[in-house]
């Protein structure tokens, strides 16, 4: 699969793919005799993994570290697992932040719904969901 096909399939920029390869987020992609990148199934799995991890908010540096550990082999299983555990903790923290934001938005929308019915916008400070610390 060419870089153009990968970009279209995953809605990712060619520059991003080249960057991922250059910094070690994905292994070096095989090339044709003409020097064109040729993404095989293994390379595609790495691209999918990188996209997945980035969508979870994983920093590039962490992805590079994960790849470094992966290349070192099974002696790094615990370190890789710990890295993923850290990612999960970070994602859970973001989810909780989004939940708090969603509660506040729901409250505000409910007040506007009521104002549309009554013609009066009111706020009940005691009913406002907690704010972020």
């Amino acid at each position: 699969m060419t870089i153009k096909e990968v970009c279209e399939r995953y809605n990712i920029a060619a520059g991003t793919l080249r960057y991922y390869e250059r910094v070690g987020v994905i292994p070096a992609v095989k090339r044709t005799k003409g020097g064109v990148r040729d993404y095989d199934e293994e390379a595609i799995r790495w691209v999918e993994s990188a996209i997945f991890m980035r969508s979870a908010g994983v920093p590039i540096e962490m992805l590079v570290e994960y790849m470094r550990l992966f290349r070192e082999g099974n002696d790094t299983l615990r370190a890789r697992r710990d890295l993923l555990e850290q990612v999960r903790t970070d994602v859970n923290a973001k989810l909780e932040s989004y939940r708090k934001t969603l509660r506040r938005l729901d409250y505000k929308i409910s007040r506007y719904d009521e104002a549309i019915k009554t013609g009066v916008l009111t706020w009940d400070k005691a009913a406002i969901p907690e704010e972020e610390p």
Side-chain angles (χ1 to χ4, degrees), residues 40-104:
D40 59 13
E41 286 305 311
E42 182 180 352
I44 293 297
R45 283 193 301 273
W46 280 109
V47 169
E48 288 174 346
S49 179
I51 292 169
F52 160 74
M53 296 289 270
R54 289 294 291 148
S55 73
V58 177
I60 291 294
E61 299 79 14
M62 190 178 279
L63 287 175
V64 170
E65 174 67 5
Y66 182 85
M67 278 299 297
R68 184 189 67 74
L69 292 168
F70 180 83
R71 284 190 300 273
E72 288 181 14
N74 286 343
D75 288 344
T76 66
L77 291 173
R78 181 165 303 279
R80 285 184 270 162
R81 184 219 174 269
D82 291 348
L83 190 141
L84 293 175
E85 181 76 33
Q86 180 181 347
V87 169
R88 183 173 64 182
T89 298
D90 294 346
V91 168
N92 275 324
K94 288 176 190 172
L95 281 172
E96 183 53 34
S97 175
Y98 281 133
R99 284 185 194 103
K100 288 178 183 178
T101 300
L102 187 57
R103 285 192 295 270
R104 287 187 60 84

